[in-house]
Amino acid sequence: MSAVTRAIALPVRPTRAETALLALSRTITRLAEERMRRRAWAIEAEPARRAGRAASHAMSADAARYLSPR
């Protein structure tokens, strides 16, 4: 993934309000990127989860066959 970034050139030291807004912006950006990563991971993992769940259900349905003495 790529992020769009902008460099802000300030001629003087930023005020406390500007510093707080910049910090808030960075935090929100970081949280949004992390959320997108988690969503992408969940989407990629879904087929494997479904296959595992289907296999588990199939084994549960055949539990008597697997557990019966031979």
Side-chain angles (χ1 to χ4, degrees), residues 2-63:
S2 64
V4 177
T5 58
R6 288 189 183 151
I8 301 173
L10 300 173
V12 294
R13 273 178 83 186
T15 64
R16 287 184 182 178
E18 290 170 334
T19 303
L21 287 174
L22 287 171
L24 180 63
S25 173
R26 286 186 197 116
T27 302
I28 290 172
T29 301
R30 190 182 77 241
L31 291 174
E33 288 176 354
E34 191 62 35
R35 188 178 189 188
M36 286 189 287
R37 276 191 211 100
R38 277 189 258 123
R39 283 184 181 175
W41 180 85
I43 290 169
E44 290 172 2
E46 186 60 28
R49 277 187 10 167
R50 285 186 185 171
R53 195 176 295 151
S56 176
H57 287 302
M59 276 195 77
S60 295
D62 290 344

